[in-house]
PDB file of all heavy atoms in Angstrom:
ATOM      1  N   GLN P   1      -0.037 -22.250 -22.666  1.00 91.00           N
ATOM      2  CA  GLN P   1      -1.233 -21.424 -22.537  1.00 91.00           C
ATOM      3  C   GLN P   1      -2.374 -22.228 -21.923  1.00 91.00           C
ATOM      4  O   GLN P   1      -3.112 -21.729 -21.079  1.00 91.00           O
ATOM      5  CB  GLN P   1      -1.624 -20.840 -23.891  1.00 91.00           C
ATOM      6  CG  GLN P   1      -0.619 -19.806 -24.380  1.00 91.00           C
ATOM      7  CD  GLN P   1      -0.900 -19.337 -25.794  1.00 91.00           C
ATOM      8  OE1 GLN P   1      -1.896 -19.686 -26.404  1.00 91.00           O
ATOM      9  NE2 GLN P   1       0.007 -18.534 -26.330  1.00 91.00           N
ATOM     10  N   LYS P   2      -2.499 -23.487 -22.343  1.00 94.00           N
ATOM     11  CA  LYS P   2      -3.538 -24.335 -21.766  1.00 94.00           C
ATOM     12  C   LYS P   2      -3.258 -24.577 -20.289  1.00 94.00           C
ATOM     13  O   LYS P   2      -4.177 -24.507 -19.455  1.00 94.00           O
ATOM     14  CB  LYS P   2      -3.629 -25.670 -22.497  1.00 94.00           C
ATOM     15  CG  LYS P   2      -4.690 -26.584 -21.899  1.00 94.00           C
ATOM     16  CD  LYS P   2      -4.825 -27.899 -22.620  1.00 94.00           C
ATOM     17  CE  LYS P   2      -5.912 -28.741 -21.965  1.00 94.00           C
ATOM     18  NZ  LYS P   2      -6.103 -30.013 -22.653  1.00 94.00           N
ATOM     19  N   ALA P   3      -2.001 -24.853 -19.955  1.00 90.00           N
ATOM     20  CA  ALA P   3      -1.639 -25.107 -18.554  1.00 90.00           C
ATOM     21  C   ALA P   3      -1.998 -23.905 -17.678  1.00 90.00           C
ATOM     22  O   ALA P   3      -2.545 -24.079 -16.580  1.00 90.00           O
ATOM     23  CB  ALA P   3      -0.143 -25.423 -18.443  1.00 90.00           C
ATOM     24  N   ARG P   4      -1.729 -22.707 -18.172  1.00 86.00           N
ATOM     25  CA  ARG P   4      -2.080 -21.502 -17.403  1.00 86.00           C
ATOM     26  C   ARG P   4      -3.586 -21.340 -17.294  1.00 86.00           C
ATOM     27  O   ARG P   4      -4.101 -20.958 -16.249  1.00 86.00           O
ATOM     28  CB  ARG P   4      -1.472 -20.264 -18.056  1.00 86.00           C
ATOM     29  CG  ARG P   4      -0.054 -20.019 -17.668  1.00 86.00           C
ATOM     30  CD  ARG P   4       0.431 -18.609 -17.984  1.00 86.00           C
ATOM     31  NE  ARG P   4      -0.162 -17.970 -19.140  1.00 86.00           N
ATOM     32  CZ  ARG P   4       0.246 -18.126 -20.398  1.00 86.00           C
ATOM     33  NH1 ARG P   4       1.256 -18.911 -20.665  1.00 86.00           N
ATOM     34  NH2 ARG P   4      -0.341 -17.494 -21.385  1.00 86.00           N
ATOM     35  N   SER P   5      -4.302 -21.629 -18.359  1.00 87.00           N
ATOM     36  CA  SER P   5      -5.752 -21.403 -18.339  1.00 87.00           C
ATOM     37  C   SER P   5      -6.480 -22.392 -17.438  1.00 87.00           C
ATOM     38  O   SER P   5      -7.512 -22.067 -16.867  1.00 87.00           O
ATOM     39  CB  SER P   5      -6.334 -21.432 -19.760  1.00 87.00           C
ATOM     40  OG  SER P   5      -6.333 -22.736 -20.271  1.00 87.00           O
ATOM     41  N   VAL P   6      -5.942 -23.609 -17.302  1.00 91.00           N
ATOM     42  CA  VAL P   6      -6.624 -24.610 -16.469  1.00 91.00           C
ATOM     43  C   VAL P   6      -6.072 -24.676 -15.048  1.00 91.00           C
ATOM     44  O   VAL P   6      -6.626 -25.393 -14.211  1.00 91.00           O
ATOM     45  CB  VAL P   6      -6.582 -26.013 -17.117  1.00 91.00           C
ATOM     46  CG1 VAL P   6      -7.270 -26.009 -18.471  1.00 91.00           C
ATOM     47  CG2 VAL P   6      -5.171 -26.547 -17.210  1.00 91.00           C
ATOM     48  N   ALA P   7      -5.016 -23.948 -14.767  1.00 84.00           N
ATOM     49  CA  ALA P   7      -4.403 -23.995 -13.434  1.00 84.00           C
ATOM     50  C   ALA P   7      -5.399 -23.707 -12.313  1.00 84.00           C
ATOM     51  O   ALA P   7      -5.409 -24.430 -11.308  1.00 84.00           O
ATOM     52  CB  ALA P   7      -3.202 -23.057 -13.363  1.00 84.00           C
ATOM     53  N   PRO P   8      -6.256 -22.684 -12.427  1.00 83.00           N
ATOM     54  CA  PRO P   8      -7.209 -22.446 -11.332  1.00 83.00           C
ATOM     55  C   PRO P   8      -8.154 -23.621 -11.089  1.00 83.00           C
ATOM     56  O   PRO P   8      -8.426 -23.979  -9.937  1.00 83.00           O
ATOM     57  CB  PRO P   8      -7.989 -21.206 -11.792  1.00 83.00           C
ATOM     58  CG  PRO P   8      -7.075 -20.510 -12.739  1.00 83.00           C
ATOM     59  CD  PRO P   8      -6.319 -21.625 -13.429  1.00 83.00           C
ATOM     60  N   SER P   9      -8.632 -24.260 -12.165  1.00 90.00           N
ATOM     61  CA  SER P   9      -9.545 -25.392 -11.966  1.00 90.00           C
ATOM     62  C   SER P   9      -8.800 -26.596 -11.402  1.00 90.00           C
ATOM     63  O   SER P   9      -9.363 -27.372 -10.619  1.00 90.00           O
ATOM     64  CB  SER P   9     -10.272 -25.751 -13.262  1.00 90.00           C
ATOM     65  OG  SER P   9      -9.372 -26.170 -14.246  1.00 90.00           O
ATOM     66  N   ILE P  10      -7.537 -26.766 -11.763  1.00 91.00           N
ATOM     67  CA  ILE P  10      -6.740 -27.852 -11.187  1.00 91.00           C
ATOM     68  C   ILE P  10      -6.526 -27.604  -9.693  1.00 91.00           C
ATOM     69  O   ILE P  10      -6.645 -28.523  -8.883  1.00 91.00           O
ATOM     70  CB  ILE P  10      -5.399 -28.006 -11.931  1.00 91.00           C
ATOM     71  CG1 ILE P  10      -5.649 -28.567 -13.332  1.00 91.00           C
ATOM     72  CG2 ILE P  10      -4.428 -28.881 -11.146  1.00 91.00           C
ATOM     73  CD1 ILE P  10      -4.425 -28.610 -14.207  1.00 91.00           C
ATOM     74  N   LEU P  11      -6.225 -26.369  -9.338  1.00 85.00           N
ATOM     75  CA  LEU P  11      -6.046 -26.032  -7.928  1.00 85.00           C
ATOM     76  C   LEU P  11      -7.326 -26.292  -7.139  1.00 85.00           C
ATOM     77  O   LEU P  11      -7.292 -26.906  -6.069  1.00 85.00           O
ATOM     78  CB  LEU P  11      -5.622 -24.564  -7.786  1.00 85.00           C
ATOM     79  CG  LEU P  11      -5.325 -24.069  -6.381  1.00 85.00           C
ATOM     80  CD1 LEU P  11      -4.192 -24.866  -5.747  1.00 85.00           C
ATOM     81  CD2 LEU P  11      -4.978 -22.599  -6.419  1.00 85.00           C
ATOM     82  N   LEU P  12      -8.449 -25.857  -7.678  1.00 88.00           N
ATOM     83  CA  LEU P  12      -9.738 -26.089  -7.021  1.00 88.00           C
ATOM     84  C   LEU P  12     -10.031 -27.580  -6.921  1.00 88.00           C
ATOM     85  O   LEU P  12     -10.446 -28.073  -5.863  1.00 88.00           O
ATOM     86  CB  LEU P  12     -10.865 -25.373  -7.775  1.00 88.00           C
ATOM     87  CG  LEU P  12     -12.263 -25.522  -7.204  1.00 88.00           C
ATOM     88  CD1 LEU P  12     -12.341 -24.969  -5.784  1.00 88.00           C
ATOM     89  CD2 LEU P  12     -13.269 -24.818  -8.097  1.00 88.00           C
ATOM     90  N   GLY P  13      -9.805 -28.308  -7.993  1.00 92.00           N
ATOM     91  CA  GLY P  13     -10.018 -29.757  -7.978  1.00 92.00           C
ATOM     92  C   GLY P  13      -9.116 -30.442  -6.963  1.00 92.00           C
ATOM     93  O   GLY P  13      -9.536 -31.381  -6.279  1.00 92.00           O
ATOM     94  N   GLY P  14      -7.890 -29.969  -6.844  1.00 92.00           N
ATOM     95  CA  GLY P  14      -6.966 -30.520  -5.853  1.00 92.00           C
ATOM     96  C   GLY P  14      -7.436 -30.274  -4.428  1.00 92.00           C
ATOM     97  O   GLY P  14      -7.334 -31.156  -3.569  1.00 92.00           O
ATOM     98  N   ARG P  15      -7.953 -29.083  -4.193  1.00 90.00           N
ATOM     99  CA  ARG P  15      -8.510 -28.781  -2.860  1.00 90.00           C
ATOM    100  C   ARG P  15      -9.685 -29.702  -2.550  1.00 90.00           C
ATOM    101  O   ARG P  15      -9.801 -30.229  -1.446  1.00 90.00           O
ATOM    102  CB  ARG P  15      -8.973 -27.332  -2.791  1.00 90.00           C
ATOM    103  CG  ARG P  15      -7.866 -26.350  -2.640  1.00 90.00           C
ATOM    104  CD  ARG P  15      -8.444 -24.968  -2.412  1.00 90.00           C
ATOM    105  NE  ARG P  15      -7.450 -23.973  -2.718  1.00 90.00           N
ATOM    106  CZ  ARG P  15      -7.705 -22.763  -3.148  1.00 90.00           C
ATOM    107  NH1 ARG P  15      -8.954 -22.380  -3.336  1.00 90.00           N
ATOM    108  NH2 ARG P  15      -6.748 -21.919  -3.398  1.00 90.00           N
ATOM    109  N   GLN P  16     -10.564 -29.862  -3.518  1.00 93.00           N
ATOM    110  CA  GLN P  16     -11.734 -30.726  -3.313  1.00 93.00           C
ATOM    111  C   GLN P  16     -11.309 -32.173  -3.105  1.00 93.00           C
ATOM    112  O   GLN P  16     -11.849 -32.866  -2.233  1.00 93.00           O
ATOM    113  CB  GLN P  16     -12.693 -30.606  -4.502  1.00 93.00           C
ATOM    114  CG  GLN P  16     -13.363 -29.253  -4.584  1.00 93.00           C
ATOM    115  CD  GLN P  16     -14.101 -29.025  -5.901  1.00 93.00           C
ATOM    116  OE1 GLN P  16     -13.891 -29.715  -6.883  1.00 93.00           O
ATOM    117  NE2 GLN P  16     -14.974 -28.026  -5.902  1.00 93.00           N
ATOM    118  N   ALA P  17     -10.325 -32.626  -3.874  1.00 94.00           N
ATOM    119  CA  ALA P  17      -9.827 -33.998  -3.713  1.00 94.00           C
ATOM    120  C   ALA P  17      -9.205 -34.168  -2.332  1.00 94.00           C
ATOM    121  O   ALA P  17      -9.404 -35.200  -1.672  1.00 94.00           O
ATOM    122  CB  ALA P  17      -8.810 -34.326  -4.806  1.00 94.00           C
ATOM    123  N   GLY P  18      -8.464 -33.156  -1.882  1.00 92.00           N
ATOM    124  CA  GLY P  18      -7.855 -33.217  -0.553  1.00 92.00           C
ATOM    125  C   GLY P  18      -8.897 -33.283   0.549  1.00 92.00           C
ATOM    126  O   GLY P  18      -8.743 -34.031   1.519  1.00 92.00           O
ATOM    127  N   ALA P  19      -9.955 -32.503   0.406  1.00 92.00           N
ATOM    128  CA  ALA P  19     -11.030 -32.531   1.404  1.00 92.00           C
ATOM    129  C   ALA P  19     -11.717 -33.889   1.420  1.00 92.00           C
ATOM    130  O   ALA P  19     -11.989 -34.449   2.493  1.00 92.00           O
ATOM    131  CB  ALA P  19     -12.045 -31.425   1.110  1.00 92.00           C
ATOM    132  N   THR P  20     -11.961 -34.439   0.252  1.00 95.00           N
ATOM    133  CA  THR P  20     -12.589 -35.764   0.162  1.00 95.00           C
ATOM    134  C   THR P  20     -11.687 -36.824   0.782  1.00 95.00           C
ATOM    135  O   THR P  20     -12.136 -37.663   1.573  1.00 95.00           O
ATOM    136  CB  THR P  20     -12.892 -36.115  -1.314  1.00 95.00           C
ATOM    137  OG1 THR P  20     -13.771 -35.124  -1.845  1.00 95.00           O
ATOM    138  CG2 THR P  20     -13.518 -37.488  -1.446  1.00 95.00           C
ATOM    139  N   TRP P  21     -10.406 -36.772   0.442  1.00 93.00           N
ATOM    140  CA  TRP P  21      -9.449 -37.725   0.978  1.00 93.00           C
ATOM    141  C   TRP P  21      -9.376 -37.582   2.498  1.00 93.00           C
ATOM    142  O   TRP P  21      -9.348 -38.580   3.225  1.00 93.00           O
ATOM    143  CB  TRP P  21      -8.076 -37.500   0.353  1.00 93.00           C
ATOM    144  CG  TRP P  21      -7.068 -38.550   0.725  1.00 93.00           C
ATOM    145  CD1 TRP P  21      -6.787 -39.676   0.035  1.00 93.00           C
ATOM    146  CD2 TRP P  21      -6.229 -38.565   1.874  1.00 93.00           C
ATOM    147  NE1 TRP P  21      -5.811 -40.404   0.686  1.00 93.00           N
ATOM    148  CE2 TRP P  21      -5.458 -39.734   1.834  1.00 93.00           C
ATOM    149  CE3 TRP P  21      -6.051 -37.706   2.949  1.00 93.00           C
ATOM    150  CZ2 TRP P  21      -4.522 -40.071   2.800  1.00 93.00           C
ATOM    151  CZ3 TRP P  21      -5.127 -38.035   3.931  1.00 93.00           C
ATOM    152  CH2 TRP P  21      -4.372 -39.208   3.843  1.00 93.00           C
ATOM    153  N   GLY P  22      -9.334 -36.343   2.994  1.00 92.00           N
ATOM    154  CA  GLY P  22      -9.258 -36.107   4.430  1.00 92.00           C
ATOM    155  C   GLY P  22     -10.455 -36.659   5.173  1.00 92.00           C
ATOM    156  O   GLY P  22     -10.318 -37.243   6.257  1.00 92.00           O
ATOM    157  N   LYS P  23     -11.652 -36.490   4.606  1.00 94.00           N
ATOM    158  CA  LYS P  23     -12.860 -37.035   5.241  1.00 94.00           C
ATOM    159  C   LYS P  23     -12.808 -38.553   5.287  1.00 94.00           C
ATOM    160  O   LYS P  23     -13.230 -39.182   6.251  1.00 94.00           O
ATOM    161  CB  LYS P  23     -14.110 -36.576   4.491  1.00 94.00           C
ATOM    162  CG  LYS P  23     -14.454 -35.127   4.724  1.00 94.00           C
ATOM    163  CD  LYS P  23     -15.666 -34.713   3.915  1.00 94.00           C
ATOM    164  CE  LYS P  23     -15.933 -33.234   4.070  1.00 94.00           C
ATOM    165  NZ  LYS P  23     -17.030 -32.783   3.198  1.00 94.00           N
ATOM    166  N   LYS P  24     -12.285 -39.154   4.221  1.00 95.00           N
ATOM    167  CA  LYS P  24     -12.261 -40.610   4.123  1.00 95.00           C
ATOM    168  C   LYS P  24     -11.168 -41.218   5.010  1.00 95.00           C
ATOM    169  O   LYS P  24     -11.374 -42.253   5.642  1.00 95.00           O
ATOM    170  CB  LYS P  24     -12.048 -41.027   2.666  1.00 95.00           C
ATOM    171  CG  LYS P  24     -12.069 -42.523   2.443  1.00 95.00           C
ATOM    172  CD  LYS P  24     -11.966 -42.847   0.965  1.00 95.00           C
ATOM    173  CE  LYS P  24     -11.998 -44.357   0.738  1.00 95.00           C
ATOM    174  NZ  LYS P  24     -11.885 -44.670  -0.694  1.00 95.00           N
ATOM    175  N   HIS P  25      -9.997 -40.583   5.048  1.00 94.00           N
ATOM    176  CA  HIS P  25      -8.847 -41.205   5.699  1.00 94.00           C
ATOM    177  C   HIS P  25      -8.335 -40.464   6.935  1.00 94.00           C
ATOM    178  O   HIS P  25      -7.453 -40.983   7.629  1.00 94.00           O
ATOM    179  CB  HIS P  25      -7.684 -41.333   4.700  1.00 94.00           C
ATOM    180  CG  HIS P  25      -8.010 -42.169   3.515  1.00 94.00           C
ATOM    181  ND1 HIS P  25      -8.154 -43.538   3.581  1.00 94.00           N
ATOM    182  CD2 HIS P  25      -8.231 -41.831   2.218  1.00 94.00           C
ATOM    183  CE1 HIS P  25      -8.441 -44.004   2.389  1.00 94.00           C
ATOM    184  NE2 HIS P  25      -8.494 -42.985   1.537  1.00 94.00           N
ATOM    185  N   GLY P  26      -8.834 -39.269   7.206  1.00 92.00           N
ATOM    186  CA  GLY P  26      -8.304 -38.453   8.300  1.00 92.00           C
ATOM    187  C   GLY P  26      -8.348 -39.144   9.651  1.00 92.00           C
ATOM    188  O   GLY P  26      -7.364 -39.130  10.407  1.00 92.00           O
ATOM    189  N   ALA P  27      -9.474 -39.766   9.981  1.00 93.00           N
ATOM    190  CA  ALA P  27      -9.612 -40.433  11.284  1.00 93.00           C
ATOM    191  C   ALA P  27      -8.641 -41.602  11.396  1.00 93.00           C
ATOM    192  O   ALA P  27      -8.016 -41.808  12.449  1.00 93.00           O
ATOM    193  CB  ALA P  27     -11.049 -40.902  11.495  1.00 93.00           C
ATOM    194  N   ALA P  28      -8.469 -42.362  10.322  1.00 94.00           N
ATOM    195  CA  ALA P  28      -7.546 -43.500  10.349  1.00 94.00           C
ATOM    196  C   ALA P  28      -6.103 -43.027  10.499  1.00 94.00           C
ATOM    197  O   ALA P  28      -5.312 -43.649  11.229  1.00 94.00           O
ATOM    198  CB  ALA P  28      -7.705 -44.339   9.084  1.00 94.00           C
ATOM    199  N   VAL P  29      -5.749 -41.950   9.831  1.00 93.00           N
ATOM    200  CA  VAL P  29      -4.389 -41.403   9.941  1.00 93.00           C
ATOM    201  C   VAL P  29      -4.145 -40.928  11.375  1.00 93.00           C
ATOM    202  O   VAL P  29      -3.094 -41.204  11.966  1.00 93.00           O
ATOM    203  CB  VAL P  29      -4.174 -40.263   8.919  1.00 93.00           C
ATOM    204  CG1 VAL P  29      -2.887 -39.512   9.194  1.00 93.00           C
ATOM    205  CG2 VAL P  29      -4.173 -40.818   7.499  1.00 93.00           C
ATOM    206  N   ALA P  30      -5.117 -40.221  11.959  1.00 93.00           N
ATOM    207  CA  ALA P  30      -4.982 -39.731  13.335  1.00 93.00           C
ATOM    208  C   ALA P  30      -4.860 -40.903  14.304  1.00 93.00           C
ATOM    209  O   ALA P  30      -4.032 -40.874  15.226  1.00 93.00           O
ATOM    210  CB  ALA P  30      -6.177 -38.852  13.698  1.00 93.00           C
ATOM    211  N   ALA P  31      -5.661 -41.953  14.118  1.00 92.00           N
ATOM    212  CA  ALA P  31      -5.606 -43.122  14.994  1.00 92.00           C
ATOM    213  C   ALA P  31      -4.251 -43.824  14.878  1.00 92.00           C
ATOM    214  O   ALA P  31      -3.666 -44.238  15.885  1.00 92.00           O
ATOM    215  CB  ALA P  31      -6.741 -44.086  14.661  1.00 92.00           C
ATOM    216  N   ALA P  32      -3.732 -43.951  13.675  1.00 93.00           N
ATOM    217  CA  ALA P  32      -2.427 -44.584  13.471  1.00 93.00           C
ATOM    218  C   ALA P  32      -1.325 -43.759  14.131  1.00 93.00           C
ATOM    219  O   ALA P  32      -0.401 -44.318  14.745  1.00 93.00           O
ATOM    220  CB  ALA P  32      -2.153 -44.768  11.976  1.00 93.00           C
ATOM    221  N   ALA P  33      -1.410 -42.440  14.018  1.00 93.00           N
ATOM    222  CA  ALA P  33      -0.409 -41.575  14.650  1.00 93.00           C
ATOM    223  C   ALA P  33      -0.465 -41.712  16.175  1.00 93.00           C
ATOM    224  O   ALA P  33       0.575 -41.759  16.844  1.00 93.00           O
ATOM    225  CB  ALA P  33      -0.624 -40.122  14.229  1.00 93.00           C
ATOM    226  N   MET P  34      -1.675 -41.773  16.743  1.00 93.00           N
ATOM    227  CA  MET P  34      -1.825 -41.957  18.192  1.00 93.00           C
ATOM    228  C   MET P  34      -1.257 -43.305  18.616  1.00 93.00           C
ATOM    229  O   MET P  34      -0.581 -43.412  19.649  1.00 93.00           O
ATOM    230  CB  MET P  34      -3.291 -41.852  18.599  1.00 93.00           C
ATOM    231  CG  MET P  34      -3.851 -40.447  18.488  1.00 93.00           C
ATOM    232  SD  MET P  34      -2.985 -39.271  19.527  1.00 93.00           S
ATOM    233  CE  MET P  34      -3.803 -39.574  21.075  1.00 93.00           C
TER     234      MET P  34
END
């Protein structure tokens, strides 16, 4: 029940973490791929 109730906030937190990670590392990942 707890897992279901917190799932939306975990999903939102994951999106925010992904955006933060992308801003921090996205350019370096793109440069390495190039």
Side-chain angles (χ1 to χ4, degrees):
Q1 291 173 6
K2 179 179 180 178
R4 276 196 329 276
S5 72
V6 300
S9 63
I10 290 173
L11 183 60
L12 180 60
R15 283 187 200 151
Q16 291 169 343
T20 300
W21 187 93
K23 286 178 185 175
K24 183 175 180 181
H25 300 288
V29 169
M34 290 300 277

